[in-house]
Amino acid sequence: VFIRQFTPREYQGQNQVFDVAGNSDGVIYFTNRGALIAFDGEHWSRVNVPTTWIRSLYVTPSGKVYLGGTDEFGWCEFHPDSGLTYHSLLDQLPPGQNLGAVWSIAGQGESVFFATSENVYHWDGVKLTQWPHPHAPRAYLFQNEKRLLHHRAHQGLFEFINQSWQEIPSPAPITNTIRLVMVDHGDQGVALAT
């Protein structure tokens, strides 16, 4: 087993990373302060994003890298001539609406959901749909082949059914926690941990 540690100086970023994902070509993406950082096994590259912290990402089968941060969300694509290029989705919000912090992203294929403190957004590649929720200090999504779940800190657990979010009756430790960890257990369901 060989482990190599890279310093912030080597990858030209901050030392705190919130999320990591890879694509089918073996490129690993890291969220960082104001940038998406990519590593292809030999070289580091980065694309600056107009936000402070990028907290979450999702890589589609086609290779788009969706990301969400503080008052910013969108995607990056790789172009052979210019490298990674960022495309913001802020222009899809209603005029005057503040996005807030994007805490979590979940996707199925090319379809992507973003969870913020105030809303859940769905981007299908053409249209942005939103579902308002009462303010929550944290909001996390979980997607497996059968279910899309959404935990809102101090509000509870919800499931996306028939184009709406349905509350799942849950005991107080699940409802009241700030961070719920959800792990897929195949046919046995989803394990929850506080």
Side-chain angles (χ1 to χ4, degrees):
V1 175
F2 177 75
I3 297 174
R4 175 159 182 215
Q5 178 182 355
F6 294 95
T7 66
R9 176 175 277 175
E10 289 174 283
Y11 59 78
Q12 299 175 16
Q14 300 291 320
N15 61 355
Q16 191 170 16
V17 172
F18 285 98
D19 206 356
V20 177
N23 70 13
S24 60
D25 294 330
V27 177
I28 303 170
Y29 297 97
F30 303 86
T31 63
N32 204 247
R33 183 173 175 84
L36 176 70
I37 298 173
F39 184 63
D40 66 5
E42 292 184 33
H43 303 96
W44 292 96
S45 60
R46 63 182 279 137
V47 61
N48 292 327
V49 178
T51 184
T52 50
W53 288 107
I54 302 170
R55 298 185 186 281
S56 56
L57 57 87
Y58 169 74
V59 180
T60 68
S62 70
K64 279 187 180 176
V65 182
Y66 283 91
L67 53 89
T70 306
D71 293 317
E72 183 62 56
F73 65 152
W75 76 89
C76 288
E77 286 183 289
F78 181 78
H79 299 283
D81 297 332
S82 58
L84 282 173
T85 305
Y86 180 70
H87 307 273
S88 178
L89 284 170
L90 283 182
D91 63 350
Q92 300 296 314
L93 290 176
Q97 182 172 334
N98 182 25
L99 181 64
V102 177
W103 295 106
S104 177
I105 300 174
Q108 189 169 36
E110 301 297 316
S111 180
V112 184
F113 289 83
F114 302 86
T116 72
S117 294
E118 306 288 340
N119 296 287
V120 175
Y121 298 93
H122 174 243
W123 175 249
D124 65 4
V126 176
K127 179 181 163 197
L128 186 69
T129 306
Q130 70 178 12
W131 293 269
H133 290 276
H135 177 81
R138 299 283 189 279
Y140 295 99
L141 295 165
F142 171 81
Q143 172 82 49
N144 68 11
E145 290 182 18
K146 298 178 184 176
R147 303 174 88 175
L148 176 60
L149 302 176
H150 175 48
H151 179 258
R152 300 190 63 76
H154 308 302
Q155 294 175 23
L157 187 61
F158 301 84
E159 183 170 9
F160 192 65
I161 301 171
N162 297 324
Q163 299 300 307
S164 68
W165 293 97
Q166 306 294 320
E167 186 170 6
I168 299 172
S170 305
I174 299 294
T175 299
N176 295 331
T177 188
I178 194 95
R179 179 71 162 112
L180 183 68
V181 176
M182 297 176 261
V183 179
D184 186 15
H185 274 268
D187 293 337
Q188 297 177 16
V190 178
L192 307 174
T194 59

